[in-house]
Amino acid sequence: EVQLVESGGGLVQPGRSLRLSCAASGFSFDDYAMHWVRQAPGKGLEWVSGISWNSGSIGYADSVKARFTISRDNAKNSLYLQMNSLRPEDTALYYCVRDMGYGVQGNCDYWGQGTLVTVSS
Amino acid sequence: QSALTQPASVSGSPGQSITISCTGSSSDVGSYDLVSWYQQHPGKVPKFMIYEVNKRPSGVSNRFSGSKSGNTASLTISGLQAEDEADYYCCSNAGYSTVVFGGGTKLTVL
């Protein structure tokens, strides 16, 4: 059974940093691209970042470019999101998501339960 | 990276068919057959419903179908049922390892 379990969320002040982690199990992690997708309270889905199976291709939404960094450790079956210079508008539930393919395609077949990030003073 | 455009809401009666549109541009929907659709019930995790424009993952009802013409993709739900009431999101590959979602459509089953 595919499982994606996010951690690392919490309350953080504006301008500070936070690192999210996602532990994957139940599939060959290094055969799939991965994404972070967020959802602000009461709002729609927003794609944040994606990374190919071997970290060779990475993309970011304009809203987080230069502030967030996605990475993965295939030996540890883990996905990460380093979030710097956090803003109140980054407040959201952050989902770890698997892509069906090796590359960043957008066919998001499995989703974690999410970890909540709240940016507030 | 502009969000794909979806109607804020659609509605239909049980048994009817409805279609949700998703309009992008020649940089995303128009360039790639990598459009997917997601269903989200309140407080739940999004569910993968359609991929690569018109393919259904295993376990998804054949009442759900997808299509694309030019820069606009569409999700059609036939034989509307009460449990179909949910929010629906489209998503497209936008090149250079980026992806874009639509703003979401609230489906109400009357």
Side-chain angles (χ1 to χ4, degrees):
Chain A
E1 178 193 5
V2 172
Q3 287 199 331
L4 300 168
V5 180
E6 303 92 339
S7 61
L11 175 62
V12 61
Q13 293 179 328
R16 303 298 291 267
S17 299
L18 208 58
R19 189 192 196 210
L20 305 184
S21 299
C22 171
S25 62
F27 65 101
S28 296
F29 184 69
D30 54 7
D31 280 346
Y32 296 87
M34 299 294 295
H35 304 265
W36 288 100
V37 176
R38 69 186 181 184
Q39 187 168 32
K43 302 297 185 183
L45 300 174
E46 181 187 13
W47 178 80
V48 173
S49 182
I51 185 168
S52 64
W53 69 282
N54 64 351
S55 306
S57 296
I58 288 174
Y60 297 97
D62 288 343
S63 59
V64 307
K65 201 174 293 183
R67 298 189 300 123
F68 290 10
T69 302
I70 192 172
S71 62
R72 65 189 296 162
D73 186 335
N74 287 345
K76 295 183 178 180
N77 291 341
S78 294
L79 176 72
Y80 306 100
L81 186 69
Q82 177 66 42
M83 304 185 295
N84 299 332
S85 303
L86 282 161
R87 305 166 179 168
E89 54 264 37
D90 295 319
T91 294
L93 186 64
Y94 284 73
Y95 293 105
C96 170
V97 182
R98 191 184 85 166
D99 198 305
M100 288 180 71
Y102 288 99
V104 176
Q105 296 184 338
N107 293 319
C108 300
D109 60 352
Y110 285 93
W111 297 60
Q113 292 295 314
T115 186
L116 183 62
V117 173
T118 303
V119 184
S120 174
S121 54
Chain B
Q1 295 172 354
S2 298
L4 306 177
T5 300
Q6 298 181 231
S9 63
V10 298
S11 63
S13 299
Q16 287 186 332
S17 294
I18 64 95
T19 296
I20 299 172
S21 62
C22 169
T23 301
S25 69
S26 57
S27 299
D28 38 61
V29 175
S31 287
Y32 306 95
D33 285 339
L34 289 171
V35 176
S36 52
W37 289 88
Y38 304 86
Q39 175 193 65
Q40 187 179 35
H41 288 106
K44 301 297 185 182
V45 173
K47 179 183 177 183
F48 188 46
M49 302 299 288
I50 294 287
Y51 68 102
E52 293 176 4
V53 177
N54 56 15
K55 298 177 182 178
R56 275 188 309 276
S58 174
V60 172
S61 170
N62 59 9
R63 297 187 298 105
F64 292 83
S65 62
S67 63
K68 189 185 89 166
S69 178
N71 297 337
T72 299
S74 298
L75 173 71
T76 297
I77 307 174
S78 59
L80 210 55
Q81 299 179 1
E83 63 256 35
D84 299 332
E85 184 162 296
D87 293 326
Y88 290 85
Y89 297 90
C90 62
C91 174
S92 174
N93 188 282
Y96 301 102
S97 295
T98 65
V99 168
V100 61
F101 277 92
T105 297
K106 181 177 179 59
L107 169 61
T108 300
V109 179
L110 302 170

